[in-house]
Amino acid sequence: MSKNVNLGEGIDLSDLVDNNKKRIDGRKPDELRKINFTPNFISSSAGSVLFEIGNTRVICTASIDENVPAWMRYQNVSGGWITAEYSMLPGSTLDRKKRESSTGKVGGRTMEIQRLIGRSIRSVIDLEKLGRRQIYLDCDVIQADGGTRTASICGAFIALKFAIKKLLENGSVKENPIKDDIAAISAGICKGVVILDLCYLEDSVAEVDANFVMTSSGKIIEIQSTAEAEPFSEKHLDEMLSVSKKGINEIMKMQKNLFD
């Protein structure tokens, strides 16, 4: 059974994966951390959820704007649009994280993550059926313990589904624009072992770090994978894909229960 690990504890990083392939929090290599959804967490938003996976907690909201971006009007692009923003709150990490608003610019990591969230979700949306409107997906990390970008994708998609459900109920949208469900999870290689859903301590020493975004029909939206130490083999990539499919299928089942 998995357990949460306090990031402030003194931990021997050499024991992240032991000889019995048990991890620092007691999980098996292909086991997710505990996941919890709190739907409608922000009552003022069209859709919202608090998504928790282990010690990572992200508040995701969906806000509807009955206008499209200026570039769509200027370029005469039909349909609607979905965009995402991502941020980590100052208290989300052990050392206070400076607000990007105080620096006057959005950091490269933040920009990369919010673009990933946006394009991942747009890939499963029929923007014509969405109509001439824009939906903002805001992902605010209130506690970070690894996997914040994949948690944000999961939470943002749930928030979007709640928002679109409202649009369908009030007749603003005639047909459901969601073509498929999506979810995302991290995987990696730690001490030569392929593991699923890395916590921060695992991620900080992993030989390979990867993120997988997939649909409920088993299609791949995006794979991000980097060798932090030694290059990895195609066999290891296949193993990471396999455990990620397993984890994503489990998340999909939990997501589905929110709307049944």
Side-chain angles (χ1 to χ4, degrees):
M1 181 179 295
S2 65
K3 61 181 179 180
N4 288 342
V5 176
N6 188 328
L7 294 182
E9 293 176 357
I11 295 171
D12 181 0
L13 297 183
S14 67
D15 290 332
L16 286 174
V17 180
D18 64 24
N19 291 330
N20 296 317
K21 294 188 178 180
K22 286 287 186 179
R23 297 159 69 180
I24 193 169
D25 53 8
R27 285 185 289 153
K28 298 175 183 177
D30 63 350
E31 186 177 351
L32 292 168
R33 289 173 289 178
K34 181 180 179 182
I35 293 177
N36 185 56
F37 301 97
T38 306
N40 304 312
F41 190 73
I42 305 294
S43 60
S44 53
S45 295
S48 68
V49 68
L50 169 64
F51 181 82
E52 300 172 89
I53 182 164
N55 283 328
T56 290
R57 299 178 175 94
V58 188
I59 297 173
C60 299
T61 59
S63 304
I64 301 169
D65 181 358
E66 294 297 336
N67 295 285
V68 294
W71 66 265
M72 291 188 74
R73 298 195 298 272
Y74 296 151
Q75 296 180 29
N76 198 28
V77 177
S78 62
W81 191 247
I82 292 172
T83 191
E85 293 189 14
Y86 167 95
S87 68
M88 292 178 64
L89 298 191
S92 62
T93 55
L94 284 176
D95 296 324
R96 182 185 185 274
K97 186 171 181 62
K98 185 180 292 186
R99 293 184 189 274
E100 292 184 335
S101 60
S102 67
T103 67
K105 64 177 182 179
V106 176
R109 177 182 180 275
T110 297
M111 185 67 71
E112 185 257 324
I113 290 175
Q114 58 192 33
R115 285 176 174 171
L116 168 65
I117 298 167
R119 67 175 175 264
S120 294
I121 291 179
R122 286 194 299 272
S123 72
V124 294
I125 303 299
D126 186 326
L127 296 174
E128 291 289 341
K129 291 181 179 178
L130 184 62
R132 294 297 278 177
R133 59 178 53 85
Q134 180 171 203
I135 298 181
Y136 290 91
L137 301 173
D138 290 288
C139 305
D140 292 291
V141 179
I142 60 175
Q143 185 166 315
D145 184 24
T148 62
R149 72 183 65 198
T150 53
S152 295
I153 291 170
C154 293
F157 182 70
I158 292 167
L160 176 70
K161 286 193 75 171
F162 280 120
I164 288 178
K165 185 171 181 283
K166 287 187 177 180
L167 289 171
L168 287 166
E169 288 173 348
N170 65 27
S172 299
V173 170
K174 303 303 180 184
E175 294 182 72
N176 191 345
I178 300 175
K179 297 181 289 185
D180 206 346
D181 284 4
I182 70 168
I185 198 65
S186 67
I189 302 173
C190 190
K191 294 182 69 175
V193 179
V194 171
I195 57 177
L196 177 69
D197 184 22
L198 284 67
C199 68
Y200 173 76
L201 290 172
E202 292 171 329
D203 182 70
S204 65
V205 298
E207 298 101 80
V208 177
D209 179 28
N211 298 292
F212 293 83
V213 188
M214 301 181 69
T215 69
S216 61
S217 58
K219 295 179 181 177
I220 296 170
I221 295 173
E222 187 149 345
I223 298 174
Q224 300 178 328
S225 189
T226 304
E228 302 288 351
E230 295 292 327
F232 58 96
S233 66
E234 185 176 337
K235 178 177 180 292
H236 273 142
L237 178 60
D238 289 341
E239 289 177 7
M240 288 190 290
L241 176 59
S242 179
V243 298
S244 295
K245 281 183 178 179
K246 175 182 178 293
I248 284 173
N249 285 338
E250 291 175 21
I251 295 171
M252 292 282 190
K253 290 177 183 177
M254 288 182 266
Q255 286 182 176
K256 188 174 183 295
N257 289 338
L258 293 176
F259 298 92
D260 285 346

